[in-house]
């Protein structure tokens, strides 16, 4: 079993949110052989996500640009098919795992 915290769909959504021209059809077709058996989406309320990000010693552009964060989330949800959604707003890291 392989557990991965980032898939091709995340990368595509991120680059599309940055207005980069990525052909989603070709990208997803190229990754067909590594399609996951199950996809679990971990989510939380925005204020909790922002609090957690603020605790990190360093942050990337993606983590500091709220508009980019929102655009990426919208793109991601539009193209990802998930089997299970876990709202970990009130859960610790240990409880989520």
């Amino acid at each position: 079993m392989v557990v991965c915290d980032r898939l091709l769909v995340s990368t595509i959504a991120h680059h599309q949110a940055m207005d980069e021209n990525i052909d989603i059809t070709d990208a997803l077709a190229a990754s067909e052989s590594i399609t996951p058996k199950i996809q679990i989406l971990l989510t939380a309320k925005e204020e909790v996500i922002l609090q957690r990000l603020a605790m990190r010693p360093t942050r990337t552009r993606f983590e500091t640009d709220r508009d980019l964060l929102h655009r990426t989330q919208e793109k991601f949800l539009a193209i990802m098919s998930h089997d299970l959604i876990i709202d970990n707003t009130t859960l610790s890291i240990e409880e989520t795992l």
Side-chain angles (χ1 to χ4, degrees), residues 79-91:
I79 59 178
M80 182 198 177
S81 63
H82 43 271
D83 301 300
L84 176 64
I85 300 173
I86 298 174
D87 182 350
N88 70 350
T89 297
T90 61
L91 302 176

Side-chain angles (χ1 to χ4, degrees), residues 1-96:
M1 174 185 347
V2 175
V3 176
C4 179
D5 68 342
R6 185 172 174 140
L7 296 171
L8 179 62
V9 174
S10 302
T11 301
I12 292 169
H14 182 68
H15 287 279
Q16 283 183 338
M18 293 188 304
D19 295 325
E20 295 180 6
N21 187 15
I22 292 182
D23 184 345
I24 185 171
T25 306
D26 288 343
L28 291 175
S31 70
E32 206 169 285
S33 64
I34 55 170
T35 302
K37 301 284 187 246
I38 185 170
Q39 296 184 67
I40 301 170
L41 175 63
L42 299 177
T43 188
K45 291 183 179 173
E46 182 176 2
E47 61 269 12
V48 172
I49 293 170
L50 294 174
Q51 288 171 352
R52 291 174 182 173
L53 288 173
M55 292 187 306
R56 293 182 180 179
T58 60
R59 290 184 277 163
T60 66
R61 174 180 163 221
F62 170 75
E63 296 166 333
T64 57
D65 183 338
R66 287 178 75 172
D67 290 334
L68 178 59
L69 186 63
H70 285 283
R71 288 193 311 271
T72 302
Q73 183 180 31
E74 288 172 7
K75 300 283 186 183
F76 179 78
L77 292 173
I79 59 178
M80 182 198 177
S81 63
H82 43 271
D83 301 300
L84 176 64
I85 300 173
I86 298 174
D87 182 350
N88 70 350
T89 297
T90 61
L91 302 176
S92 68
I93 292 172
E94 294 77 14
E95 292 170 316
T96 301

